[in-house]
Amino acid sequence: RMRRNAESLLVLAGVEASRTWGEPVSLVDVVRAAVGEVEDYQRVTITTMDTAMVVGSVASDPAHLMAEWIENALRFSAPDLTVEVNGRVKPGCYLLLVIDEGMGMPPEELEAANERLEHGAAFTVAPSRYLGHHVAGSLARRHGISVRMHNTPCSGITASVELPTSLLAGSTLGAPDGAHA
């Protein structure tokens, strides 16, 4: 967690990731790496994930981005609730969802958060509780990843992360196979 916080500051400073893999990495392994970077990892459930590979040279950034979302979901959920992560092949992208059943956000806060994610904002004038949003947004903009937050139907937040095909190794986006993580 301390390493991720240090890397978050480097992301905000515009420094590229120093950790890279030479070979493509399974997307489920990228998600597992993200789960391994949060303190309350035992409360995270990886459900169904379609098979895909991420280009090794960029795999650490999606892992970091997912760790920020998972950490956020855990922080705003009751300690007895789990956070679900799943992934699906969609036309032109791979969609990852981080779903919590926490307290959710009022519409105006949700709109402001999505604006921060999409366009960024001066981190120095924003409250530090939004550090994860700034880091996730910076990583997303760096790689052309679409990131949005939505209210979960009953309660909580669902963070959607759309990885473009440019980050996926080879032609790994075949028909969804429903492989379980």
Side-chain angles (χ1 to χ4, degrees):
R1 186 174 182 194
M2 288 174 54
R3 180 187 42 74
R4 184 167 48 88
N5 286 340
E7 287 178 356
S8 292
L9 295 175
L10 292 173
V11 166
L12 294 173
V15 177
E16 294 287 327
S18 59
R19 295 183 300 144
T20 61
W21 288 280
E23 297 294 319
V25 180
S26 164
L27 197 45
V28 74
D29 287 338
V30 169
V31 171
R32 286 180 183 143
V35 172
E37 293 195 13
V38 299
E39 186 175 347
D40 231 355
Y41 63 90
Q42 65 275 17
R43 290 182 42 217
V44 180
T45 302
I46 300 173
T47 59
T48 304
M49 291 203 47
D50 292 341
T51 303
M53 302 292 284
V54 176
V55 174
S57 61
V58 299
S60 62
D61 282 349
H64 189 157
L65 187 150
M66 291 299 292
E68 293 296 336
W69 283 129
I70 293 166
E71 178 84 23
N72 194 60
L74 290 166
R75 185 178 314 127
F76 292 102
S77 295
D80 61 331
L81 295 176
T82 60
V83 168
E84 179 184 329
V85 179
N86 64 57
R88 292 276 185 232
V89 172
K90 295 288 186 183
C93 72
Y94 190 100
L95 175 64
L96 289 160
L97 299 175
V98 178
I99 305 163
D100 73 61
E101 296 180 37
M103 60 181 123
M105 296 173 79
E108 60 278 355
E109 285 184 33
L110 189 60
E111 185 178 327
N114 282 323
E115 180 67 22
R116 257 192 314 280
L117 291 167
E118 187 174 350
H119 301 292
F123 174 69
T124 55
V125 297
S128 62
R129 71 176 180 238
Y130 298 131
L131 174 67
H133 293 178
H134 289 281
V135 172
S138 293
L139 289 168
R141 287 187 300 279
R142 180 184 293 175
H143 296 290
I145 299 170
S146 175
V147 187
R148 298 278 304 161
M149 295 170 61
H150 315 271
N151 279 315
T152 303
C154 292
S155 69
I157 294 290
T158 297
S160 64
V161 178
E162 292 183 6
L163 300 176
T165 56
S166 61
L167 298 182
L168 303 174
S171 58
T172 60
L173 289 185
D177 63 7
H180 291 332

